[in-house]
Amino acid sequence: MSAQPSSQVPLDWADESKGMIPLSLARLPAATSPSEGFMFFNPGGPGASGVAMILSEGQGLQSLLGAGWDVISWDPRGISGSGPNITLFAREADHNAFWSPFYGGGKLVTHGNLTSSSDVDSFMSHVSTFDSTAQDLSRRMIETNGEALKYVGTCAAVRDLVYLTDSLYGEGTDINFWGLSYGSVIAAYLTQMFPDRVGRLILDGVWDPEKYANRTPMKWWEVDVYGIDFTLKSWAEACAGRTRCPFSSPDDAADTLLNKINAILETSYARYDGTLPWDVTTETNVNAYPYDAILQTIRSYLYQAAKKSDLSTLLTVIRAGQAGGSFKYPFPKSITLGWNSYNPIDQFALSEDVLSHVAYAILCGDAIDDSTTTTEDVFREAVRVSQSISVFGSLAPLHSVRPVCHRWTSRAVERLQQPMTIRPKNTILIMSTMADPITPYDSAHRMASSNFFGGNSRLVRLNSIGHTTYSNNSTCVTNVVRNFVAGSPPSDAGNGDADVVCEAEDTIYGPAPTSWRAFQFTDTHNNPQETSPSFGMKT
């Protein structure tokens, strides 16, 4: 397994006279001969490195498909080793200085569901400064990168994928692709741009591609938080009363654990000492972390909470620190500053792809033109989502790319603005956990309906928690995938819901709770599974 020599592709697929750019590749060849097939992967983002995914997780990815499969990925345009070279801040100090107006005591503070008028007033008081910053970010990116910003969009990524398939496996070969999170957008675009090239296509952790293509980014911000309260509640059900979950006492119920988390957040709000996130060290007091940093870190831990990330230990350490105990547990800087992509060498440093802000170039560049949305509208939408859906809705300004897109002035040369109704040649597989903290099951369910892809899809639900089914290592899901790539997609259950339901086998705390097996989806698009969506509400 190794990185491959870079492929050269046109900067502009419609005008090759504009020159070529490199695409960085990595491939793990099949362990048996002859090969049974190949599968391209994209880890999401936008902004995540496919090469890094293969180099670090290639063996695991291959085990999902079988030893006879090549697994391969590439760094999408502007990311890591692929051109065009998108840059913004050369040093962390430059990045920190740019974003400093919003960090520290008395700055852009979030608190609860923003139900208090004083909290709302404080939140809204930063509209003007944020508006200037959003305009300045767009201006700086254009001054630094010029026309290159127009060539990192998702449509270009799809054309690159087609080229890579042709060059590596033969012209016209069916394209096999597994898209995780934002990668599901690449997969969906492929079905609409090249429906006759679709081979074995998997959308895992669906970031609603139809809304991505056709709505202003902040107009569907609520989708990012639809499922997070339910995910946290489901995690609490797995933790409650378990000896392997130190955050829980033997008699604690799930609601008791949610109350403990609320208490941690309220304490962080009351005691925050104004420390800037880039000044945090291993010796930092727990009071250096503001409300939003702890909230965002909880969300990040929920991405792999079923099998890998031990949210219980994190919360236990924070709670002990707030009670006067020792605290030497610095949060990764990339999370406290709103990013989930770690620096592969030092998780307490920002990666080059974070410093470059390439994610803004991709997401905002793909967005529809927007001449009516104001920054005040953006902030009011964050307030609305926080008040009506989840406390996590208030994280938008500092922990999402979306809020600057209405001020972004560079758009991709090719954008896909259409209803995603074209039927691909082969059936596609759409997969989701029941409780995903960023791409809710709602989105997978919606895209698997007859309204999209000509109805040529099958839906798999894993009754577990975490971002994408891949985060769970489910034997049931692996069997479904292996049958699918072998040419046997699931049968249409005809029930208006999942065609296949896989049950969680276990969690890091022990057997999956029985409540997960009892999950029933209700299509309300407003925390549909949550019977009492009160997490984060101030009392």
Side-chain angles (χ1 to χ4, degrees):
M1 175 171 47
S2 63
Q4 304 287 302
S6 296
S7 289
Q8 297 289 318
V9 297
L11 173 68
D12 186 343
W13 279 105
D15 184 359
E16 297 189 18
S17 69
K18 292 186 178 179
M20 309 292 283
I21 57 171
L23 292 181
S24 181
L25 308 171
R27 174 165 55 172
L28 174 62
T32 61
S33 183
S35 170
E36 297 177 42
F38 66 91
M39 182 68 73
F40 281 89
F41 287 83
N42 179 273
S49 167
V51 169
M53 183 186 196
I54 298 300
L55 294 179
S56 64
E57 303 176 44
Q59 298 284 355
L61 295 170
Q62 191 176 67
S63 70
L64 299 176
L65 302 168
W69 284 74
D70 291 0
V71 294
I72 185 168
S73 189
W74 78 108
D75 289 337
R77 293 177 173 225
I79 298 167
S80 297
S82 292
N85 183 33
I86 303 299
T87 63
L88 184 59
F89 301 118
R91 304 175 306 148
E92 277 196 30
D94 300 326
H95 169 281
N96 299 343
F98 181 81
W99 289 106
S100 62
F102 306 105
Y103 292 96
K107 299 298 178 65
L108 183 49
V109 177
T110 59
H111 185 211
N113 291 81
L114 296 177
T115 52
S116 162
S117 60
S118 61
D119 288 342
V120 173
D121 290 344
S122 174
F123 187 77
M124 295 298 297
S125 69
H126 297 278
V127 166
S128 178
T129 303
F130 193 90
D131 184 65
S132 298
T133 299
Q135 293 183 72
D136 192 23
L137 179 64
S138 177
R139 178 186 60 78
R140 289 185 182 214
M141 286 289 279
I142 291 173
E143 288 179 352
T144 305
N145 301 286
E147 293 290 301
L149 293 177
K150 298 180 178 180
Y151 299 103
V152 296
T154 301
C155 288
V158 170
R159 296 190 183 279
D160 293 342
L161 173 59
V162 172
Y163 170 81
L164 292 172
T165 303
D166 287 346
S167 62
L168 293 171
Y169 297 102
E171 188 169 349
T173 300
D174 283 352
I175 299 169
N176 303 322
F177 177 72
W178 189 330
L180 301 160
S181 194
Y182 161 75
S184 67
V185 177
I186 298 177
Y189 276 37
L190 175 67
T191 68
Q192 304 304 288
M193 295 171 65
F194 296 93
D196 293 333
R197 295 293 304 275
V198 171
R200 308 302 179 216
L201 199 68
I202 301 174
L203 286 70
D204 190 358
V206 178
W207 207 33
D208 194 309
E210 190 274 332
K211 292 179 180 178
Y212 180 94
N214 297 294
R215 300 191 188 185
T216 301
M218 275 303 293
K219 293 294 177 64
W220 62 288
W221 162 242
E222 60 185 23
V223 174
D224 282 10
V225 299
Y226 277 155
I228 190 165
D229 283 13
F230 178 58
T231 304
L232 187 58
K233 180 180 179 181
S234 299
W235 170 84
E237 291 169 346
C239 171
R242 301 286 180 87
T243 57
R244 287 158 58 181
C245 189
F247 190 62
S248 176
S249 298
D251 297 330
D252 281 350
D255 286 346
T256 305
L257 300 186
L258 296 180
N259 289 335
K260 287 182 179 180
I261 295 173
N262 268 327
I264 286 173
L265 291 166
E266 288 300 312
T267 299
S268 71
Y269 178 79
R271 296 182 183 175
Y272 175 51
D273 63 13
T275 300
L276 297 171
W278 39 84
D279 291 335
V280 169
T281 71
T282 56
E283 303 300 323
T284 298
N285 185 283
V286 68
N287 297 328
Y289 293 98
Y291 187 101
D292 71 283
I294 294 179
L295 199 63
Q296 174 66 6
T297 304
I298 290 171
R299 179 179 204 161
S300 180
Y301 270 67
L302 289 173
Y303 274 44
Q304 297 184 321
K307 293 293 186 72
K308 299 177 183 179
S309 298
D310 187 6
L311 177 59
S312 173
T313 297
L314 171 76
L315 294 171
T316 300
V317 171
I318 296 173
R319 193 164 184 249
Q322 290 181 339
S326 62
F327 179 83
K328 292 186 178 181
Y329 201 100
F331 304 163
K333 192 177 298 183
S334 57
I335 293 178
T336 58
L337 288 171
W339 301 86
N340 284 314
S341 55
Y342 296 112
N343 183 316
I345 299 174
D346 178 2
Q347 65 175 328
F348 301 112
L350 298 181
S351 69
E352 290 184 6
D353 293 329
V354 170
L355 293 176
S356 75
H357 284 54
V358 65
Y360 291 83
I362 297 171
L363 191 150
C364 297
D366 278 342
I368 64 173
D369 296 330
D370 183 9
S371 60
T372 60
T373 299
T374 67
T375 301
E376 181 175 346
D377 294 335
V378 166
F379 272 57
R380 292 205 178 280
E381 178 64 4
V383 172
R384 184 193 71 80
V385 171
S386 184
Q387 291 178 346
S388 64
I389 298 176
S390 172
V391 59
F392 290 86
S394 64
L395 293 177
L398 294 184
H399 298 276
S400 174
V401 171
R402 298 172 185 266
V404 307
C405 289
H406 67 292
R407 286 299 196 179
W408 198 260
T409 56
S410 176
R411 297 285 185 248
V413 293
E414 183 180 9
R415 290 176 283 171
L416 188 71
Q417 295 172 12
Q418 53 118 308
M420 305 285 174
T421 56
I422 296 174
R423 182 182 179 90
K425 179 176 71 173
N426 286 305
T427 300
I428 65 176
L429 195 64
I430 298 176
M431 306 197 301
S432 176
T433 62
M434 68 169 191
D436 187 309
I438 185 70
T439 56
Y441 178 66
D442 305 55
S443 295
H445 184 275
R446 177 176 184 264
M447 295 308 299
S449 74
S450 60
N451 296 325
F452 304 101
F453 308 124
N456 196 17
S457 64
R458 297 291 183 269
L459 177 60
V460 177
R461 186 181 76 231
L462 173 60
N463 284 344
S464 185
I465 63 176
H467 183 37
T468 76
T469 67
Y470 172 65
S471 70
N472 274 257
N473 300 323
S474 163
T475 301
C476 174
V477 171
T478 297
N479 290 336
V480 172
V481 167
R482 288 195 173 192
N483 288 332
F484 174 72
V485 299
S488 298
S491 299
D492 185 353
N495 60 3
D497 196 8
D499 300 297
V500 177
V501 175
C502 290
E503 301 298 343
E505 295 149 18
D506 55 19
T507 75
I508 57 176
Y509 309 124
T514 57
S515 58
W516 291 9
R517 186 179 291 270
F519 172 88
Q520 294 292 322
F521 177 72
T522 304
D523 191 8
T524 64
H525 286 277
N526 185 8
N527 285 331
Q529 308 89 354
E530 178 66 84
T531 56
S532 55
S534 59
F535 174 74
M537 285 289 195
K538 292 168 57 182
T539 58

PDB file of all heavy atoms in Angstrom, residues 61 80 111 115 120 141 162 222 230 288 377 398 468 484:
ATOM      1  N   LEU A  61     -10.582  -1.011   5.117  1.00  0.00           N
ATOM      2  CA  LEU A  61     -11.517  -0.823   4.016  1.00  0.00           C
ATOM      3  C   LEU A  61     -11.566  -2.067   3.138  1.00  0.00           C
ATOM      4  O   LEU A  61     -12.643  -2.511   2.724  1.00  0.00           O
ATOM      5  CB  LEU A  61     -11.104   0.396   3.181  1.00  0.00           C
ATOM      6  CG  LEU A  61     -11.171   1.747   3.885  1.00  0.00           C
ATOM      7  CD1 LEU A  61     -10.510   2.821   3.040  1.00  0.00           C
ATOM      8  CD2 LEU A  61     -12.606   2.133   4.200  1.00  0.00           C
ATOM      9  N   SER A  80      -4.457  18.734   0.115  1.00  0.00           N
ATOM     10  CA  SER A  80      -3.181  18.042   0.328  1.00  0.00           C
ATOM     11  C   SER A  80      -2.349  18.011  -0.951  1.00  0.00           C
ATOM     12  O   SER A  80      -1.912  19.046  -1.417  1.00  0.00           O
ATOM     13  CB  SER A  80      -3.429  16.641   0.887  1.00  0.00           C
ATOM     14  OG  SER A  80      -4.061  16.727   2.152  1.00  0.00           O
ATOM     15  N   HIS A 111     -24.960  29.940  24.265  1.00  0.00           N
ATOM     16  CA  HIS A 111     -25.420  29.519  25.587  1.00  0.00           C
ATOM     17  C   HIS A 111     -26.786  28.884  25.462  1.00  0.00           C
ATOM     18  O   HIS A 111     -27.756  29.551  25.061  1.00  0.00           O
ATOM     19  CB  HIS A 111     -25.482  30.707  26.543  1.00  0.00           C
ATOM     20  CG  HIS A 111     -25.836  30.322  27.945  1.00  0.00           C
ATOM     21  ND1 HIS A 111     -26.527  31.171  28.782  1.00  0.00           N
ATOM     22  CD2 HIS A 111     -25.619  29.193  28.665  1.00  0.00           C
ATOM     23  CE1 HIS A 111     -26.704  30.581  29.953  1.00  0.00           C
ATOM     24  NE2 HIS A 111     -26.156  29.374  29.899  1.00  0.00           N
ATOM     25  N   THR A 115     -32.613  30.819  24.380  1.00  0.00           N
ATOM     26  CA  THR A 115     -33.992  31.165  24.741  1.00  0.00           C
ATOM     27  C   THR A 115     -34.079  32.444  25.556  1.00  0.00           C
ATOM     28  O   THR A 115     -35.148  33.040  25.659  1.00  0.00           O
ATOM     29  CB  THR A 115     -34.638  30.013  25.529  1.00  0.00           C
ATOM     30  OG1 THR A 115     -33.786  29.661  26.621  1.00  0.00           O
ATOM     31  CG2 THR A 115     -34.830  28.787  24.641  1.00  0.00           C
ATOM     32  N   VAL A 120     -29.660  36.038  23.255  1.00  0.00           N
ATOM     33  CA  VAL A 120     -29.883  36.343  21.837  1.00  0.00           C
ATOM     34  C   VAL A 120     -29.257  37.682  21.481  1.00  0.00           C
ATOM     35  O   VAL A 120     -28.595  37.822  20.440  1.00  0.00           O
ATOM     36  CB  VAL A 120     -31.388  36.341  21.512  1.00  0.00           C
ATOM     37  CG1 VAL A 120     -31.624  36.830  20.078  1.00  0.00           C
ATOM     38  CG2 VAL A 120     -31.979  34.958  21.708  1.00  0.00           C
ATOM     39  N   MET A 141      -9.164  35.211  -0.114  1.00  0.00           N
ATOM     40  CA  MET A 141      -9.032  33.973  -0.876  1.00  0.00           C
ATOM     41  C   MET A 141      -8.885  34.247  -2.366  1.00  0.00           C
ATOM     42  O   MET A 141      -8.090  33.602  -3.061  1.00  0.00           O
ATOM     43  CB  MET A 141     -10.252  33.087  -0.620  1.00  0.00           C
ATOM     44  CG  MET A 141     -10.258  32.424   0.745  1.00  0.00           C
ATOM     45  SD  MET A 141      -9.008  31.113   0.928  1.00  0.00           S
ATOM     46  CE  MET A 141      -9.832  29.743   0.123  1.00  0.00           C
ATOM     47  N   VAL A 162     -14.138   9.994 -12.908  1.00  0.00           N
ATOM     48  CA  VAL A 162     -14.366   9.292 -14.173  1.00  0.00           C
ATOM     49  C   VAL A 162     -13.039   9.078 -14.890  1.00  0.00           C
ATOM     50  O   VAL A 162     -12.752   7.974 -15.392  1.00  0.00           O
ATOM     51  CB  VAL A 162     -15.356  10.072 -15.057  1.00  0.00           C
ATOM     52  CG1 VAL A 162     -15.445   9.450 -16.443  1.00  0.00           C
ATOM     53  CG2 VAL A 162     -16.730  10.129 -14.407  1.00  0.00           C
ATOM     54  N   GLU A 222     -30.290  23.496   9.398  1.00  0.00           N
ATOM     55  CA  GLU A 222     -31.031  22.696  10.371  1.00  0.00           C
ATOM     56  C   GLU A 222     -30.814  21.196  10.160  1.00  0.00           C
ATOM     57  O   GLU A 222     -30.865  20.408  11.115  1.00  0.00           O
ATOM     58  CB  GLU A 222     -32.520  23.010  10.303  1.00  0.00           C
ATOM     59  CG  GLU A 222     -33.160  22.730   8.967  1.00  0.00           C
ATOM     60  CD  GLU A 222     -34.616  23.176   8.918  1.00  0.00           C
ATOM     61  OE1 GLU A 222     -35.008  24.058   9.696  1.00  0.00           O
ATOM     62  OE2 GLU A 222     -35.358  22.623   8.083  1.00  0.00           O
ATOM     63  N   PHE A 230     -30.875  13.311  19.465  1.00  0.00           N
ATOM     64  CA  PHE A 230     -31.224  11.896  19.528  1.00  0.00           C
ATOM     65  C   PHE A 230     -29.971  11.029  19.620  1.00  0.00           C
ATOM     66  O   PHE A 230     -29.957  10.011  20.325  1.00  0.00           O
ATOM     67  CB  PHE A 230     -32.057  11.515  18.307  1.00  0.00           C
ATOM     68  CG  PHE A 230     -32.432  10.061  18.263  1.00  0.00           C
ATOM     69  CD1 PHE A 230     -33.137   9.474  19.295  1.00  0.00           C
ATOM     70  CD2 PHE A 230     -32.071   9.278  17.181  1.00  0.00           C
ATOM     71  CE1 PHE A 230     -33.483   8.129  19.258  1.00  0.00           C
ATOM     72  CE2 PHE A 230     -32.400   7.937  17.130  1.00  0.00           C
ATOM     73  CZ  PHE A 230     -33.113   7.361  18.164  1.00  0.00           C
ATOM     74  N   ALA A 288     -10.647  27.078  30.899  1.00  0.00           N
ATOM     75  CA  ALA A 288     -10.189  27.712  29.655  1.00  0.00           C
ATOM     76  C   ALA A 288     -11.086  27.363  28.474  1.00  0.00           C
ATOM     77  O   ALA A 288     -10.940  27.946  27.400  1.00  0.00           O
ATOM     78  CB  ALA A 288      -8.758  27.283  29.348  1.00  0.00           C
ATOM     79  N   ASP A 377     -29.589  37.587   8.628  1.00  0.00           N
ATOM     80  CA  ASP A 377     -30.425  36.419   8.343  1.00  0.00           C
ATOM     81  C   ASP A 377     -29.734  35.134   8.801  1.00  0.00           C
ATOM     82  O   ASP A 377     -30.367  34.229   9.355  1.00  0.00           O
ATOM     83  CB  ASP A 377     -30.714  36.317   6.846  1.00  0.00           C
ATOM     84  CG  ASP A 377     -31.569  37.453   6.316  1.00  0.00           C
ATOM     85  OD1 ASP A 377     -32.331  38.050   7.107  1.00  0.00           O
ATOM     86  OD2 ASP A 377     -31.467  37.739   5.106  1.00  0.00           O
ATOM     87  N   LEU A 398     -19.197  29.698  14.338  1.00  0.00           N
ATOM     88  CA  LEU A 398     -17.797  29.347  14.596  1.00  0.00           C
ATOM     89  C   LEU A 398     -17.454  27.911  14.250  1.00  0.00           C
ATOM     90  O   LEU A 398     -16.282  27.550  14.233  1.00  0.00           O
ATOM     91  CB  LEU A 398     -17.458  29.602  16.071  1.00  0.00           C
ATOM     92  CG  LEU A 398     -17.481  31.057  16.521  1.00  0.00           C
ATOM     93  CD1 LEU A 398     -17.035  31.170  17.968  1.00  0.00           C
ATOM     94  CD2 LEU A 398     -16.599  31.928  15.630  1.00  0.00           C
ATOM     95  N   THR A 468     -21.883   7.746   9.857  1.00  0.00           N
ATOM     96  CA  THR A 468     -21.746   6.718   8.821  1.00  0.00           C
ATOM     97  C   THR A 468     -21.775   5.322   9.454  1.00  0.00           C
ATOM     98  O   THR A 468     -21.391   5.144  10.613  1.00  0.00           O
ATOM     99  CB  THR A 468     -20.473   6.848   7.957  1.00  0.00           C
ATOM    100  OG1 THR A 468     -19.324   6.399   8.693  1.00  0.00           O
ATOM    101  CG2 THR A 468     -20.268   8.280   7.494  1.00  0.00           C
ATOM    102  N   PHE A 484     -23.840  -6.735  -2.212  1.00  0.00           N
ATOM    103  CA  PHE A 484     -24.112  -5.651  -3.154  1.00  0.00           C
ATOM    104  C   PHE A 484     -23.006  -5.540  -4.205  1.00  0.00           C
ATOM    105  O   PHE A 484     -23.292  -5.480  -5.406  1.00  0.00           O
ATOM    106  CB  PHE A 484     -24.263  -4.336  -2.389  1.00  0.00           C
ATOM    107  CG  PHE A 484     -24.413  -3.119  -3.260  1.00  0.00           C
ATOM    108  CD1 PHE A 484     -25.586  -2.887  -3.958  1.00  0.00           C
ATOM    109  CD2 PHE A 484     -23.375  -2.197  -3.384  1.00  0.00           C
ATOM    110  CE1 PHE A 484     -25.725  -1.754  -4.765  1.00  0.00           C
ATOM    111  CE2 PHE A 484     -23.506  -1.069  -4.183  1.00  0.00           C
ATOM    112  CZ  PHE A 484     -24.689  -0.859  -4.880  1.00  0.00           C
TER     113      PHE A 484
END
